[in-house]
Amino acid sequence: MLKIAIIAGTNRPNALNPQVVDWVAQQLAARGGIEAEIVRFDDFDLPVLDEPIPAGAHMYQNDHTKAWGAKLAEFDGYIFVTPEYNHSVPGGLKNALDYVSLEFNHKVAGIVNYGADKGVRAAEHLRLILANSRVAVVRDQTSFSIFTDFTDGQFAPQEVSVQPFASMIDDMVLWGEALVGAREKRAAMTDA
């Protein structure tokens, strides 16, 4: 059973994000075979990046970084639920991702994005950020429009928007299971 973190992509007050995050959690619970947990970076009180050494060195100095990294290390994969702010990912999400790197190595991710243009630019930027941490981001993503998938501020996704979610999860399971073996091989190479 894969352990998947559902990463809430913003901590903005009154954001639509919690509704989409909850929908993702409900979809995963109905599927079975996946253990999912909602993870919010704001629960870790991460200030603007304050680590003196780049994340790739894995030499964290601050307790908040160590706690954030330890939480992320628990998972086999991640679903990022991100809005699009100013044609990119929210600053808080980018800051949280800048803190860590190795915890993501050789794991799988899916993206659920939303915005005026369905949040596609945020998703594309997120793919580039995650590639630097050796994350295998699956091709299919789930994209929602704030104009057609929300009604009076309430998440009410259209069927056409929901359809890619199932294939995204199928690919995540396939890649996630394969990457467990890849991480084991990588660990054996490092120990040798």
Side-chain angles (χ1 to χ4, degrees):
M1 179 176 294
L2 289 179
K3 191 169 181 186
I4 303 292
I6 304 167
I7 307 287
T10 183
N11 58 352
R12 182 179 180 175
N14 301 318
L16 300 170
N17 198 263
Q19 295 179 60
V20 185
V21 166
D22 289 344
W23 179 85
V24 170
Q26 291 167 7
Q27 300 305 304
L28 293 179
R31 178 190 165 95
I34 294 173
E35 181 183 339
E37 179 181 338
I38 297 170
V39 177
R40 292 181 171 83
F41 58 81
D42 54 329
D43 290 342
F44 294 85
D45 296 320
L46 301 171
V48 174
L49 184 61
D50 65 347
E51 284 290 334
I53 300 171
H58 206 250
M59 298 171 60
Y60 305 146
Q61 304 296 308
N62 299 309
D63 289 340
H64 54 260
T65 310
K66 293 173 186 174
W68 174 237
K71 176 47 94 177
L72 294 174
E74 294 176 11
F75 299 97
D76 299 305
Y78 313 88
I79 296 177
F80 292 89
V81 181
T82 184
E84 181 177 310
Y85 293 164
N86 298 316
H87 291 200
S88 191
V89 297
L93 176 58
K94 176 64 167 81
N95 184 62
L97 294 174
D98 286 343
Y99 268 95
V100 294
S101 181
L102 298 180
E103 293 80 0
F104 288 125
N105 284 190
H106 310 295
K107 295 183 181 179
V108 66
I111 300 173
V112 175
N113 44 283
Y114 61 93
D117 292 322
K118 293 193 167 194
V120 295
R121 290 173 293 244
E124 291 307 307
H125 287 180
L126 185 54
R127 286 177 186 280
L128 293 173
I129 295 164
L130 294 173
N132 190 58
S133 292
R134 295 185 174 115
V135 177
V137 182
V138 298
R139 179 187 175 277
D140 289 344
Q141 65 195 46
T142 307
S143 304
F144 298 109
S145 168
I146 60 170
F147 300 116
T148 60
D149 295 303
F150 293 85
T151 304
D152 297 325
Q154 296 301 308
F155 188 51
Q158 303 277 318
E159 183 58 34
V160 69
S161 300
V162 169
Q163 286 176 349
F165 189 81
S167 62
M168 181 184 85
I169 298 305
D170 289 345
D171 281 350
M172 285 187 67
V173 169
L174 180 70
W175 280 92
E177 290 172 352
L179 287 169
V180 168
R183 289 193 305 278
E184 290 169 356
K185 286 182 181 179
R186 182 69 174 159
M189 291 169 51
T190 304
D191 292 341

